[in-house]
């Protein structure tokens, strides 16, 4: 296929752009400790957020608010054009995202905004969409701002796909927002990546290695995008967001030079959660779901409140927190409002990945209303989960495939990955 067939209306942007000089940024970092700024309603404190309706952007919202900023949501293309600073936390599948952006006119507005060198930060899919195309669902055109095709990681060289975990950045040029981040670990979760080339070299501000080198971040003028998730990279990630927002309320302290060079081993706090006899959610442990004390009262073993324990594990250095709703297999998850509230409150102060499992499957309630596993997972994502863990339903899907050799497209795995990508399972 000729390159011309992949060209989008944005393809010629930046062809004659010169590098925009950046002011010296002065932010506090740590070890990347970030001090919250006082929020007000002035334009300087407002961040425009492009949320096209897929995945967990609650984490990004909470990170922005923790830095002292207010959020204005994009409702129409004009909101993009009028933004003083724009963050695009793209989550999900490339083709689905481009469909939404094209259908509501936001793709054209994004191109115009970026062409005018306005302050922009794309996250994860928000980076990938800047490229010419992706191979995720066949060959799908992107915004065409950066030369290159986004392709799947090559698993033939021994790496597992998707790439999930804390990996090291190798800085290739000074981009301002990555100051003191070189050699530090940040959090990635993706199956597709863009490869450095002569054609896109001037855009690249950092790379990462996972089987081969891929583009971890890009920068040109005021336009930035990162493949990793700063909102889930702890204090390191918060420092990246703070530098992009250029708040004058921050002071800097020199960070310890990082020495990370590869994928890190992770510490994941796994919390089994269920309701006690009073209806309160507690963290518990037991053998084969036997979580009651062997006492006369036979009460549910209570190891603490899930939100408080999650925050403590985060402060103690956990790289991820996983909640397992151990009664979710018999209850209707969307009716489990306390568990959804646990996710919402935890995500306000815990800036590492949150995983939730238990009861993610198709379900019909007592009124005969059918809910798909996609609807269940979507509600978990909207409530603050970054990943969902599918247990029994995944086993049933595998057994059905082994028995018939047919992918129906109706299993929970297929439903969710079709919209969000298989990296979110």
């Amino acid at each position: 296929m000729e390159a011309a067939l992949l060209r989008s209306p944005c393809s010629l942007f930046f062809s004659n752009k010169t590098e925009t000089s950046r002011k010296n940024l002065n932010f506090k970092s740590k070890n990347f400790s970030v001090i919250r700024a006082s929020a007000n309603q002035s334009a300087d404190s407002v961040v425009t957020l492009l949320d096209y309706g897929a995945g967990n952007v609650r984490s990004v919202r909470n990170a922005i608010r923790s830095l002292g900023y207010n959020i204005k949501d994009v409702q129409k293309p004009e909101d993009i054009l009028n933004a003083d600073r724009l963050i695009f936390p793209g989550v999900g599948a490339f083709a689905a995202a481009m469909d939404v952006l094209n259908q509501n006119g936001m793709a054209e507005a994004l191109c115009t905004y970026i062409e005018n060198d306005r302050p922009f930060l794309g996250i994860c899919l928000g980076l990938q969409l800047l490229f010419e195309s992706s191979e995720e669902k066949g060959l799908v055109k992107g915004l065409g701002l950066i030369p290159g095709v986004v392709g799947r990681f090559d698993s033939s060289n021994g790496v597992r796909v998707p790439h999930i975990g804390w990996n090291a950045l190798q800085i290739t040029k000074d981009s301002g927002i990555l100051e003191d981040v070189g050699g530090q670990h940040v959090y990635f979760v993706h199956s597709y990546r863009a490869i450095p080339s002569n054609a896109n070299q001037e855009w690249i501000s950092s790379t990462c290695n996972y089987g081969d080198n891929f583009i971890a971040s890009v920068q040109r003028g005021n336009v930035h995008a990162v493949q990793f998730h700063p909102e889930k990279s702890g204090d390191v990630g918060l420092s990246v967001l703070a530098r992009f927002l250029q708040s004058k309320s921050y002071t800097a302290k020199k960070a310890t030079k990082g020495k990370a060079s590869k994928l890190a081993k992770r510490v994941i706090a796994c919390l089994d959660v269920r309701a006690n006899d009073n209806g309160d959610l507690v963290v518990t442990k037991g053998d084969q779901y036997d979580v009651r004390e062997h006492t006369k009262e036979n009460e549910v073993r209570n190891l603490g409140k899930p939100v408080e324990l999650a925050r403590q594990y985060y402060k103690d250095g956990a790289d991820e927190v996983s909640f397992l709703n151990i009664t979710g297999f018999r209850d209707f998850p969307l009716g489990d409002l306390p568990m959804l509230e646990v996710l919402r409150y935890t995500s306000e102060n815990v800036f590492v990945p949150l995983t939730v499992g238990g009861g993610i499957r198709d379900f019909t309630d007592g009124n005969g209303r059918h809910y798909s596993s996609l609807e269940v997972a979507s509600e978990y994502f909207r409530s603050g989960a970054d990943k969902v863990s599918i247990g029994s339903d995944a086993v049933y899907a595998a057994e059905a495939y082994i028995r018939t050799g047919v992918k129906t497209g109706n299993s929970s795995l297929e439903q969710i990955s079709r919209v969000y990508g298989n990296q979110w399972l």
Side-chain angles (χ1 to χ4, degrees):
M1 182 176 291
E2 296 180 359
L5 297 179
L6 299 177
R7 193 172 293 277
S8 79
C10 302
S11 297
L12 299 180
F13 290 171
F14 289 109
S15 57
N16 295 311
K17 289 283 184 182
T18 58
E19 191 72 23
T20 301
S21 62
R22 299 186 61 85
K23 297 178 181 179
N24 292 327
L25 302 179
N26 194 26
F27 297 99
K28 182 176 180 67
S29 51
K30 165 184 162 218
N31 295 347
F32 296 99
S33 296
V34 179
I35 300 175
R36 178 170 177 148
S38 59
N40 55 63
Q41 296 299 321
S42 70
D44 288 343
S45 71
V46 176
V47 179
T48 301
L49 189 71
L50 175 52
D51 172 10
Y52 68 95
N56 172 24
V57 300
R58 180 180 292 270
S59 299
V60 178
R61 293 178 184 276
N62 288 334
I64 292 170
R65 291 186 179 119
S66 77
L67 296 171
Y69 290 84
N70 303 303
I71 295 169
K72 174 182 173 60
D73 284 294
V74 171
Q75 303 292 338
K76 54 188 182 300
E78 291 75 17
D79 293 335
I80 294 176
L81 300 175
N82 294 329
D84 291 316
R85 54 174 78 84
L86 177 66
I87 294 181
F88 181 19
V91 176
F94 191 103
M98 282 305 303
D99 284 344
V100 173
L101 294 177
N102 284 322
Q103 289 168 9
N104 59 25
M106 290 183 183
E108 183 177 354
L110 261 179
C111 289
T112 300
Y113 182 89
I114 294 174
E115 180 190 23
N116 290 330
D117 194 27
R118 305 288 297 284
F120 172 84
L121 176 63
I123 297 173
C124 194
L125 188 61
L127 174 143
Q128 295 181 9
L129 293 170
L130 300 181
F131 285 82
E132 292 173 308
S133 62
S134 171
E135 299 173 343
E136 187 169 350
K137 297 288 184 181
L139 201 60
V140 180
K141 288 196 297 184
L143 295 174
L145 292 165
I146 304 177
V149 177
V150 177
R152 185 175 173 84
F153 279 107
D154 183 5
S155 59
S156 65
N157 58 13
V159 300
R160 294 182 178 181
V161 180
H163 171 215
I164 300 179
W166 297 73
N167 212 337
L169 292 181
Q170 305 303 321
I171 307 300
T172 60
K173 73 174 181 181
D174 180 16
S175 69
I177 68 170
L178 298 183
E179 182 183 345
D180 294 327
V181 176
Q184 301 285 347
H185 282 112
V186 291
Y187 182 73
F188 291 89
V189 51
H190 57 126
S191 297
Y192 292 79
R193 81 287 187 249
I195 297 295
S197 69
N198 290 334
N200 58 39
Q201 190 63 41
E202 65 176 4
W203 278 91
I204 301 171
S205 56
S206 73
T207 61
C208 181
N209 187 276
Y210 189 67
D212 53 19
N213 283 331
F214 65 89
I215 297 173
S217 65
V218 297
Q219 179 265 331
R220 192 166 182 176
N222 292 311
V223 176
H224 302 262
V226 296
Q227 181 63 69
F228 59 92
H229 287 267
E231 79 282 8
K232 287 296 170 182
S233 297
D235 287 341
V236 175
L238 290 178
S239 76
V240 172
L241 288 173
R243 289 186 174 91
F244 169 73
L245 296 173
Q246 299 187 18
S247 169
K248 296 179 180 179
S249 301
Y250 293 90
T251 56
K253 182 177 73 174
K254 188 66 177 177
T256 303
K257 184 175 178 57
K259 298 180 180 179
S261 61
K262 60 182 180 180
L263 196 67
K265 294 182 178 180
R266 293 177 288 164
V267 176
I268 302 176
C270 299
L271 309 181
D272 290 347
V273 180
R274 65 154 292 168
N276 63 16
D277 296 327
N278 297 321
D280 301 320
L281 282 183
V282 298
V283 175
T284 189
K285 286 293 179 184
D287 180 25
Q288 297 295 315
Y289 295 105
D290 178 13
V291 296
R292 292 188 176 274
E293 299 285 7
H294 294 193
T295 62
K296 180 179 179 180
E297 291 78 13
N298 197 32
E299 69 272 17
V300 172
R301 187 172 295 113
N302 185 352
L303 301 181
K305 296 180 179 180
V307 175
E308 293 177 1
L309 281 176
R311 289 175 181 169
Q312 190 59 53
Y313 277 122
Y314 170 59
K315 291 178 181 178
D316 289 345
D319 301 313
E320 184 172 332
V321 176
S322 177
F323 294 110
L324 176 61
N325 184 354
I326 63 175
T327 56
F329 67 93
R330 67 186 184 212
D331 298 329
F332 178 37
L334 296 189
D336 192 355
L337 297 179
M339 189 64 203
L340 297 177
E341 286 299 304
V342 164
L343 287 170
R344 292 171 186 144
Y345 286 124
T346 301
S347 66
E348 290 179 359
N349 296 284
V350 175
F351 299 109
V352 294
L354 300 178
T355 301
V356 64
I360 300 174
R361 67 194 191 285
D362 291 355
F363 192 93
T364 301
D365 66 16
N367 297 319
R369 163 74 159 88
H370 178 76
Y371 296 85
S372 69
S373 56
L374 175 60
E375 290 177 277
V376 176
S378 295
E379 188 58 36
Y380 274 140
F381 286 138
R382 284 190 290 269
S383 297
D386 299 288
K387 293 183 289 184
V388 293
S389 175
I390 299 176
S392 300
D393 215 45
V395 175
Y396 299 150
E399 290 175 343
Y401 179 73
I402 291 172
R403 186 171 61 254
T404 65
V406 175
K407 294 181 179 180
T408 65
N410 296 324
S411 71
S412 57
L413 295 173
E414 293 167 292
Q415 289 183 50
I416 298 169
S417 63
R418 189 160 51 241
V419 175
Y420 293 105
N422 62 5
Q423 62 266 31
W424 306 102
L425 299 172

